[in-house]
């Protein structure tokens, strides 16, 4: 179903955070697979196609039913994961960015994620324990008694399977990890190759939206970092946190020619998946040599290896000597990378931004089973301190940070609303009433912009001094980062601080910090304005996003006097603004936009001759390469084209012009209040969780009533295919229930519908059960039970 021109367009944007969970990775795969189905359905609706089979047609019909009043597009543009969640985030990221098939991953998780496949050949009991017969029997006895504590399953073969594999597992080699790191690398690499066996479809992202993927890992030896303090001048510390970050650039449209792998190359993504999931004690530490050996044996090349090493393995050790272990040790709930990615996300439509995190084991310890009731023993204290407690640490800090950001954004919205009448009056004083009557040209708009910026500076009074200082500091910090990036090599914090100090000194020598000149008649010629004109990327981005926010509010019906015929025209204006916004955003994060060689040479000269002169030359080179004035001209032409369009209602044309011209007044008020967000995003952030505890339509009781993999300290599903099939199926069912809730809540937030999602959830359940029956041979009784339950509820 194609969107209706008269229906409000809205995006539900998901930032997915995947926790670690050892064998509960299979449950998380079920969840990410169902999200993939929903995203495929949403993209098919957007492009006017119809999908068949499995749950996609139900998702399409569900979104169609909502589209009577709001045309909702579901997008997942940010993924973050740790450990087992990191593997799932990477696999889903490839499917989204490259349009690849997730079907082959079912085989990886159900067939190859088994103890018998993962045990290192050197660690198998018959081979590794010939010299340890004295110790074998106590561990075999422990395995037998431990298996008796497992909940019984309907099929006796499953119980026997778990007991047999558990006995073999605990009799594997001592004091070395039992699982094979090379074997895991091979499984992951094979699965990623299998995803490419079928021809790729369209990326599951609308044009103009890219994908950010980040997975955590832990550097065993750590990277030496020099941290400046007062006395002594610096201290040396170890940094053990590493993040593998990948990006897929925004596309124009499909099927235009795109790189075969837009998110990253296969070896790099495989190594990241191997490193993030290196559970302590179970797998040996990951190192890049494993990937090199695998490729060498298969006769395959890694053309992007050097770039991967530069980006992800830079440090004070040779890349081959770096050893990486599980990402969940220091960060099992990686909200941070997702929050950072959101800061630079543009809004094409009215956007409902959600953080959705997968927690397979919420409240795993019931009150009557809490270990806190027993005095901690020697080994349990060590194990809990090293593994369990860090992985279970609540995400309070992350949730409070998200809540605080949303609260600030709401306050800023109120500030903007309260300022608007005064800003409108100030604009008319600055440019006069006739400015809105006579024909507008880009040159006339540019002169009006300059005049209003001077008026805003003058009328802000003493508040402008603080704003000007802060703004210039932010500009110079951004310039320093771009020059450091252009230099091409890693740089310590002390060296980075020295570069910033030199740039500030160069700006001060030019008189750029004399901001009083910006309030006088010759303001456009002042050194302060000249420096901002050449280097202030952030202001341009904030202004365009402010205008886009106003347009989105207009489409949402929050602006008086908007006519239905305006909607299509507003969407066209937004498309044009996003087109010119994109290069601004690129210039903010990548130096040398138009003349990279010149910027690189200036940066190198600054490093070799660190003085004010070379710093001043570097600022000039950077400003010349950024060429912001040409982009300003493009933005002015888009605004003029919209304002001069007679088909657009007068209220929208004047409102758009006031939003664009009046932004300096708003920026003076807001930037000092939220420098960490750079005031370039006004989206409130909402958080949703997916866990067995939150999806109880089919079965109450949460994790213990549905999942199996949480037993044996989250390793149980590695011992039984039946357990893996069980957890995978419940993952899909829980995801269908929760994502139906999330989609409907987004539509209700628009006042669009009051429908009950229960009937749609049952249709999704039936579609999932029907499609998975042929693949889940070990849990047919469970499928029969659930089909009968859903059918009975539907009939009633």
């Amino acid at each position: 179903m194609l969107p209706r021109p008269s229906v409000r367009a809205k995006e539900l944007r998901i930032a997915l955070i995947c926790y670690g969970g050892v064998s509960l990775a299979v449950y998380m795969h079920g969840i990410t697979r169902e999200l993939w189905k929903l995203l495929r359905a949403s993209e098919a609706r957007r492009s006017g196609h119809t999908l068949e089979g499995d749950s996609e047609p139900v998702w399409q019909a569900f979104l169609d039913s909502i589209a009577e009043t709001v045309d909702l597009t579901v997008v997942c543009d940010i993924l973050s994961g740790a450990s087992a969640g990191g593997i799932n985030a990477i696999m889903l990221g490839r499917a989204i960015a490259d349009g690849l098939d997730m079907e082959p991953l079912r085989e990886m998780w159900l067939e190859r994620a088994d103890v018998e496949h993962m045990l290192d050949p050197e660690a198998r009991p018959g081979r590794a324990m010939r010299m340890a017969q004295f110790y074998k029997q106590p561990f075999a006895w422990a395995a037998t008694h431990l298996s008796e504590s497992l909940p019984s399953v309907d099929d006796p073969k499953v119980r026997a399977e778990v007991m047999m594999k558990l006995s073999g597992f605990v009799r594997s080699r001592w004091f070395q990890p039992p699982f094979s790191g090379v074997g895991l690398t091979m499984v992951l690499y094979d699965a990623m190759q299998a995803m490419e066996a079928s021809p790729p479809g369209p990326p599951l992202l609308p044009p103009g939206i890219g994908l950010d993927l980040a997975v955590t890992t832990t550097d065993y030896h750590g990277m030496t970092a020099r941290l400046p303090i007062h006395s002594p001048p610096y201290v040396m510390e170890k940094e053990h946190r590493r993040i593998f970050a990948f990006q897929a650039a925004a596309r124009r449209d499909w099927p235009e020619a795109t790189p075969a792998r837009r998110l990253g190359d296969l070896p790099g993504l495989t190594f990241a998946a191997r490193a993030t999931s290196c559970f302590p004690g179970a797998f040996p530490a990951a190192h890049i040599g494993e990937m090199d050996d695998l490729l060498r044996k298969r006769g395959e090349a890694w053309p992007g290896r050097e770039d991967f090493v530069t980006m992800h393995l830079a440090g004070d050790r040779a890349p081959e000597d770096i050893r990486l272990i599980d990402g969940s040790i220091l960060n099992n709930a990686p909200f941070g990378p997702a929050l950072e990615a959101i800061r630079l996300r543009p809004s094409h439509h009215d956007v409902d931004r959600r953080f959705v995190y997968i927690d397979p084991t919420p409240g795993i310890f019931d009150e009557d089973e809490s270990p806190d009731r027993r005095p901690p023993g020697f080994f349990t204290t060590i194990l809990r301190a090293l593994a369990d407690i860090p992985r279970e640490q609540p995400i309070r800090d992350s949730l409070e940070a998200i809540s605080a950001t949303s609260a600030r954004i709401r306050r800023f919205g109120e500030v903007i609303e309260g300022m608007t009448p005064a800003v409108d009056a100030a604009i008319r004083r600055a440019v006069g009433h006739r400015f809105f009557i006579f024909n507008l040209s880009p040159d006339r708009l540019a002169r009006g912009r300059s005049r209003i910026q001077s008026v805003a500076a003058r009328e802000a009074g003493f508040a402008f001094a603080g704003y000007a200082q802060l703004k210039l500091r932010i500009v110079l910090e951004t310039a320093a980062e771009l020059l450091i990036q252009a230099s091409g090599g890693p740089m310590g914090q002390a060296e980075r601080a020295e570069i910033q100090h030199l740039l500030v000194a160069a700006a001060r020598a030019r008189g750029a910090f004399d901001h009083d000149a910006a309030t006088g008649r010759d303001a456009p010629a002042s050194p302060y304005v000249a420096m901002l004109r050449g280097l202030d990327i952030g202001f341009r981005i904030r202004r365009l996003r402010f205008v886009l926010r106003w347009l989105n509010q207009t489409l949402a019906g929050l602006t008086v006097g908007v006519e239905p015929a305006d909607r299509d025209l507003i969407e066209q204006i937004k498309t044009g603004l996003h087109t010119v916004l994109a290069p601004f955003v690129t210039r903010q994060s990548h130096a040398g936009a138009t003349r990279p060689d010149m910027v690189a040479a200036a940066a190198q000269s600054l490093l070799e001759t660190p003085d004010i002169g070379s710093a001043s030359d570097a600022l000039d080179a950077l400003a010349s390469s950024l060429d912001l004035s040409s982009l300003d001209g493009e933005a002015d032409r888009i605004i003029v084209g919209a304002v001069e369009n007679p088909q657009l209602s007068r209220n929208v044309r004047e409102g758009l012009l006031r939003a664009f011209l009046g932004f300096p007044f708003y920026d003076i008020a807001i930037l000092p209040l939220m420098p960490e967000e750079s005031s370039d995003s006004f989206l409130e952030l909402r958080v949703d969780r997916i866990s067995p505890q939150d999806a109880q339509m089919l079965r109450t009781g949460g994790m213990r009533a549905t999942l199996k993999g949480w037993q044996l300290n989250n390793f149980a599903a590695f011992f039984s295919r039946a357990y893996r099939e069980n957890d995978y199926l419940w993952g899909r069912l829980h995801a269908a229930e929760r994502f139906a809730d999330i989609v409907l809540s987004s539509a209700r937030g628009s006042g669009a519908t009051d429908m009950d999602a229960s009937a749609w959830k049952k249709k999704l359940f039936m579609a999932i059960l029907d499609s998975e029956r042929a693949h889940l041979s070990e849990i047919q009784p469970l499928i029969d039970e659930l089909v009968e339950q859903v059918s009975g509820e539907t009939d009633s």
Side-chain angles (χ1 to χ4, degrees):
M1 176 180 175
L2 289 172
R4 302 181 186 181
S6 60
V7 173
R8 173 187 172 191
K10 183 177 183 179
E11 286 179 357
L12 169 60
R13 287 204 194 169
I14 294 171
L16 188 72
I17 293 91
C18 303
Y19 281 22
V22 197
S23 76
L24 287 163
V26 184
Y27 172 73
M28 286 185 277
H29 170 60
I31 293 174
T32 56
R33 182 187 181 88
E34 195 58 34
L35 174 57
W36 175 63
K37 299 284 186 181
L38 169 57
L39 297 174
R40 276 170 49 83
S42 179
E43 174 60 24
R45 284 190 69 258
R46 191 195 68 82
S47 58
H49 295 98
T50 301
L51 300 178
E52 297 180 357
D54 213 307
S55 59
E56 286 100 325
V58 183
W59 283 118
Q60 278 191 268
F62 183 40
L63 293 172
D64 283 343
S65 68
I66 295 171
E68 292 298 322
T69 48
V70 58
D71 185 60
L72 189 68
T73 301
V74 184
V75 178
C76 180
D77 61 340
I78 296 173
L79 292 159
S80 179
S83 193
I87 296 178
N88 280 291
I90 289 172
M91 298 298 188
L92 178 59
R94 296 192 72 227
I96 292 173
D98 299 342
L100 299 181
D101 192 354
M102 288 188 72
E103 293 292 338
L105 300 181
R106 183 201 291 114
E107 178 68 15
M108 180 191 80
W109 288 115
L110 297 185
E111 184 63 30
R112 302 188 69 179
D114 190 275
V115 165
E116 290 188 342
H117 283 282
M118 292 189 297
L119 274 180
D120 193 304
E122 297 294 326
R124 298 187 183 279
R127 187 170 181 175
M129 295 301 295
R130 293 192 183 101
M131 304 301 294
Q133 294 297 324
F134 177 78
Y135 300 100
K136 181 190 299 183
Q137 292 305 317
F139 271 76
W141 175 88
T144 301
H145 283 262
L146 186 58
S147 66
E148 290 176 355
S149 68
L150 297 174
S152 61
V153 294
D154 294 334
D155 191 342
K157 293 187 299 183
V158 175
R159 181 178 179 83
E161 176 190 17
V162 174
M163 292 176 65
M164 178 187 67
K165 292 178 180 177
L166 182 61
S167 176
F169 176 73
V170 299
R171 289 185 288 119
S172 62
R173 62 185 176 189
W174 277 48
F175 307 118
Q176 293 187 52
F179 292 152
S180 169
V182 175
L184 177 58
T185 301
M186 188 180 305
V187 168
L188 294 169
Y189 191 69
D190 289 344
M192 291 196 192
Q193 284 188 321
M195 293 177 71
E196 298 180 350
S198 301
L204 304 182
L205 293 163
I209 300 180
L211 177 77
D212 282 277
L213 165 68
V215 296
T216 61
T217 188
T218 304
D219 190 326
Y220 177 79
H221 295 103
M223 299 171 286
T224 302
R226 188 168 75 167
L227 306 179
I229 62 174
H230 178 261
S231 176
Y234 62 86
V235 293
M236 306 300 289
E237 295 289 342
K238 288 287 188 179
E239 174 61 70
H240 294 272
R241 294 171 296 181
R242 283 186 185 264
I243 293 178
F244 289 99
F246 303 89
Q247 287 185 323
R251 67 187 177 94
R252 291 298 180 187
D253 207 348
W254 189 87
E256 290 183 0
T258 56
R261 299 187 180 102
R262 297 170 60 248
L263 184 60
D265 60 36
L266 216 56
L269 290 167
T270 300
F271 181 66
R274 159 76 173 99
T276 189
S277 59
C278 185
F279 191 87
F283 291 97
H287 59 95
I288 199 169
E290 290 178 344
M291 198 70 244
D292 294 334
D293 291 342
L294 174 62
L295 295 173
R296 187 164 42 250
K297 290 177 181 177
R298 297 191 176 188
E300 299 180 25
W302 186 357
R305 186 184 189 277
E306 184 177 348
D307 290 340
F308 179 86
V309 168
T310 301
M311 180 69 68
H312 301 293
L313 298 179
D316 51 2
R317 304 172 67 87
E320 293 75 15
D321 294 335
I322 293 174
R323 294 297 183 268
L324 303 174
I325 55 179
D326 198 278
S328 66
I329 293 174
L330 298 177
N331 191 357
N332 192 42
F335 279 80
L339 274 167
E340 180 62 25
I342 281 176
R343 210 175 58 79
L344 298 177
R345 282 287 172 210
S347 301
H348 293 256
H349 301 288
D350 180 20
V351 170
D352 181 1
R353 167 59 75 184
R354 303 293 182 98
F355 282 84
V356 178
Y357 70 97
I358 303 173
D359 185 359
T361 57
I364 187 170
F365 292 110
D366 293 333
E367 288 188 7
D368 58 343
E369 298 179 357
S370 173
D372 295 338
R373 293 178 175 271
R374 304 185 302 273
F378 178 74
F379 285 109
T380 55
T381 299
I382 293 175
L383 292 174
R384 287 280 288 162
L386 293 179
D388 290 346
I389 291 176
R391 297 167 68 86
E392 296 165 6
Q393 179 62 28
I395 60 170
R396 178 191 299 175
D397 291 346
S398 297
L399 294 182
E400 288 180 348
I402 293 171
S403 177
T405 298
S406 292
R408 283 196 299 271
I409 290 169
R410 285 193 297 272
R411 288 198 298 270
F412 298 144
E414 294 169 358
V415 169
I416 291 169
E417 184 178 356
M419 289 177 61
T420 297
V423 170
D424 289 346
I427 292 172
R428 292 188 179 276
R429 286 197 304 273
V431 297
H433 179 71
R434 291 182 298 176
F435 189 86
F436 294 88
I437 298 176
F438 297 119
N439 291 339
L440 192 63
S441 67
D443 288 342
R444 190 161 174 257
L445 178 61
R447 291 194 300 271
R449 279 196 292 105
S450 178
R451 194 177 309 128
I452 286 174
Q453 286 176 332
S454 297
V455 171
R458 187 165 54 250
E459 295 193 359
F462 66 86
F464 180 72
Y467 167 77
Q469 290 284 335
L470 174 62
K471 188 178 182 182
L472 197 53
R473 288 281 181 171
I474 292 173
V475 166
L476 292 171
E477 287 170 6
T478 301
E481 289 301 315
L482 292 174
L483 290 168
I484 290 168
Q485 180 194 96
S487 69
M491 190 176 296
Q493 191 166 343
E495 291 85 353
R496 302 172 82 92
E498 177 64 17
I499 296 296
Q500 290 185 11
H501 173 75
L502 287 171
L503 295 183
V504 169
R508 197 177 300 280
R510 292 183 176 191
F513 279 90
D514 181 16
H515 50 75
D516 288 340
T519 62
R521 289 184 175 274
D522 296 328
S526 69
Y528 170 80
V529 172
M531 179 157 288
L532 296 182
R533 187 182 294 120
L535 294 172
D536 194 358
I537 315 171
F539 177 83
R540 274 88 164 187
I541 293 174
R542 295 193 301 272
R543 179 171 59 196
L544 289 174
R545 287 182 172 168
F546 181 84
V547 174
L548 285 164
R549 173 183 179 270
W550 184 88
L551 290 169
N552 284 331
Q553 287 186 319
T554 300
L555 285 172
L558 300 180
T559 303
V560 178
V562 179
E563 300 176 5
D566 291 330
R567 292 187 178 277
D568 284 348
L569 296 173
I570 290 174
E571 290 293 350
Q572 293 173 18
I573 297 168
K574 287 170 56 181
T575 299
L577 290 175
H578 279 294
T579 300
V580 75
L581 174 62
F584 278 123
V585 174
T586 301
R587 281 160 168 74
Q588 192 179 42
S589 55
H590 298 285
T594 62
R595 303 181 65 182
D597 294 341
M598 181 179 68
V599 176
Q604 192 62 39
S605 176
L606 176 58
L607 294 178
E608 294 173 356
T609 311
D611 56 27
I612 291 179
S614 59
S616 184
D617 291 342
L619 289 174
D620 288 337
L622 183 59
S624 177
S625 178
L626 290 174
D627 192 20
L628 299 182
S629 60
S630 65
L631 295 181
D632 288 338
E634 290 295 326
D636 287 346
R637 280 188 284 276
I638 292 171
I639 296 296
V640 169
V643 172
E644 290 296 301
N645 187 345
Q647 296 179 339
L648 197 63
S649 65
R650 180 178 176 181
N651 287 327
V652 175
R653 283 184 284 152
E654 289 195 2
L656 173 63
L657 189 56
R658 285 196 300 269
F660 185 74
L661 292 174
F663 178 71
F665 292 95
Y666 298 110
D667 201 45
I668 289 171
I670 293 174
L671 183 63
L673 302 178
M674 55 182 303
E676 67 275 18
E677 283 91 8
S678 300
S679 68
D680 56 8
S681 175
F682 293 92
L683 293 178
E684 287 192 45
L685 311 176
R686 296 179 175 86
V687 182
D688 299 281
R689 183 180 72 173
I690 297 179
S691 79
Q693 205 164 303
D694 308 311
Q696 303 202 24
M697 184 172 174
L698 288 176
R699 183 176 293 180
T700 60
M703 175 194 69
R704 294 177 184 273
T706 54
L707 305 187
K708 303 293 185 182
W710 60 270
Q711 300 164 86
L712 295 180
N713 201 29
N714 290 346
F715 273 86
F718 289 151
F719 290 90
S720 168
R721 179 179 175 113
Y723 278 10
R724 294 193 293 279
E725 290 186 4
N726 175 89
D727 290 2
Y728 162 71
L729 179 63
W730 279 111
R732 286 201 66 183
L733 296 171
H734 287 168
E737 179 175 347
R738 291 294 293 129
F739 279 119
D741 289 334
I742 292 169
V743 167
L744 192 57
S745 71
S746 184
R748 283 174 175 161
S750 306
T753 180
D754 58 356
M755 74 176 188
D756 182 7
S758 298
W760 288 107
K761 291 178 184 178
K762 292 170 185 176
K763 291 178 182 179
L764 289 167
F765 295 156
M766 289 299 293
I768 292 168
L769 293 168
D770 288 344
S771 67
E772 294 293 354
R773 182 183 288 278
H775 305 284
L776 307 181
S777 58
E778 300 291 329
I779 58 168
Q780 291 295 314
L782 173 62
I783 294 176
D784 292 338
E785 174 191 340
L786 293 173
V787 168
E788 182 178 357
Q789 177 183 342
V790 176
S791 300
E793 292 176 354
T794 303
D795 294 340
S796 62

